[in-house]
Amino acid sequence: MSLTRRDRLQALGLWPAWRLRVAAPAIEAEREAEHEAEPFQAAALAAELLEKPATSSPDAVERNPGIAMGEIPDSAHGSIQATSPPNAIREMDWTALNAAIKSCTRCALAKTRTQAVPGVGDIHAEWLFVGEAPGANEDRQGEPFVGDAGKLLDAMMAAIGLARGNNVYIANVLKSRPPGNRDPLPEEVATCLPYLERQIELIQPKLIVALGRFAAQNLLATDTPIGKLRGQMHRYRGVPLVVTYHPAYLLRNPLDKAKVWEDLLLAVDTMRQQKSNAG
Ligand code: URA
């Protein structure tokens, strides 16, 4: 795979915003460089990383049964308590977990949401992207990151050769929308986090990408600012975790997309190391 610098930046939605940042002579140099079709090592690497064993071909990929393949069977609903305590959550399989999330009334957000949003994608994914909470579009459609921020997330993933549902799972810390998109409350996080924890246990991803301060701080149990968290590899219960800016933040601050590109390269490199360590 051979992409120009411009291709890469466009995939991230960085072009032409990036041009505004650089001085005119640098733009000229970039224009010349564009025509050289330099090898895009990260994309080639990502394509390599995407190659999963034959058993995980698209046909064999088992989808999140609660979202991608339709509704939870009625029988599952019948056996789930709406207020499943954390201990029970830790024992759940995918069917029970999705049903528990969808019928959850463990916090007041249940009263204002249209529907809970468990997550979407390949339940055997190597890549897990974690956001904050469903917004209005997600609340309506029942799938994470389907609005403008979601389109940018798709572009971010495409920039490293990934696509929604293909070796990728996307989830949020909160499964229900906070009204008016207000910040989640600490008690809402405490109540909802066991669902994400169980999702991570079931998926066993090779790498987690935390999208934004909220996901990063809650997964890493820290109040360190995002500017200090990004740029290095962390671990969540042994799983490598890379922090980057939330796509919604990037929509408001497009010049920071260059930093996201660096974070994504760190993620790709971390995944490559994970795979080479696994032999
Ligand atoms: N923002 C998030 O953090 N998650 C979504 O699903 C949508 C927007």
Side-chain angles (χ1 to χ4, degrees):
M1 188 170 188
S2 174
L3 297 181
T4 64
R5 176 176 171 75
R6 182 179 181 153
D7 291 331
R8 287 191 321 238
L9 296 173
Q10 271 179 337
L12 244 183
L14 249 168
W15 187 274
W18 178 251
R19 295 174 68 202
L20 302 175
R21 283 184 86 186
V22 293
I27 293 176
E28 285 311 312
E30 280 193 357
R31 277 199 193 117
E32 280 166 28
E34 266 168 37
H35 298 294
E36 287 172 14
E38 68 187 275
F40 181 26
Q41 292 182 343
L45 192 56
E48 224 174 80
L49 295 171
L50 275 172
E51 278 172 25
K52 293 187 72 188
T55 50
S56 295
S57 67
D59 287 345
V61 166
E62 198 180 338
R63 302 265 167 189
N64 177 333
I67 296 297
M69 298 292 277
E71 290 301 302
I72 296 290
D74 284 347
S75 57
H77 283 296
S79 63
I80 297 298
Q81 295 302 309
T83 54
S84 311
N87 283 349
I89 293 170
R90 281 199 284 270
E91 306 289 313
M92 288 176 179
D93 63 13
W94 272 111
T95 304
L97 184 61
N98 282 316
I101 293 171
K102 285 181 154 221
S103 61
C104 185
T105 55
R106 297 179 68 225
C107 81
L109 296 180
K111 295 193 189 115
T112 50
R113 72 177 181 223
T114 305
Q115 60 188 312
V117 182
V120 69
D122 175 356
I123 62 171
H124 301 302
E126 291 168 332
W127 293 80
L128 172 64
F129 288 78
V130 180
E132 178 173 324
N137 293 303
E138 292 75 22
D139 178 70
R140 210 174 301 122
Q141 294 184 39
E143 180 171 331
F145 285 100
V146 290
D148 287 343
K151 290 194 189 96
L152 185 50
L153 175 60
D154 288 341
M156 286 163 58
M157 293 191 301
I160 54 169
L162 297 174
R164 188 177 285 250
N166 185 0
N167 199 17
V168 172
Y169 195 89
I170 305 171
N172 284 308
V173 175
L174 282 201
K175 309 306 186 194
S176 299
R177 181 192 180 209
N181 293 347
R182 67 156 167 73
D183 284 350
L185 304 174
E187 56 269 30
E188 291 163 353
V189 177
T191 309
C192 215
L193 205 52
Y195 291 128
L196 178 64
E197 289 168 351
R198 185 61 184 150
Q199 286 176 316
I200 297 173
E201 275 172 11
L202 288 169
I203 297 168
Q204 297 188 331
K206 282 195 160 55
L207 179 77
I208 300 172
V209 180
L211 300 165
R213 172 189 70 85
F214 186 83
Q217 291 182 340
N218 281 294
L219 283 169
L220 296 173
T222 180
D223 55 8
T224 304
I226 186 164
K228 293 212 170 109
L229 291 174
R230 53 170 297 279
Q232 55 186 300
M233 201 266 278
H234 305 267
R235 284 194 186 269
Y236 167 86
R237 298 187 181 179
V239 182
L241 184 151
V242 169
V243 174
T244 195
Y245 289 116
H246 193 287
Y249 164 86
L250 286 183
L251 289 171
R252 299 188 302 271
N253 301 275
L255 296 184
D256 274 342
K257 286 180 184 174
K259 291 182 185 162
V260 168
W261 176 239
E262 290 168 15
D263 299 334
L264 292 174
L265 292 182
L266 173 63
V268 168
D269 194 47
T270 305
M271 176 66 88
R272 183 184 53 76
Q273 281 175 28
Q274 279 288 100
K275 292 194 157 192
S276 72
N277 291 347

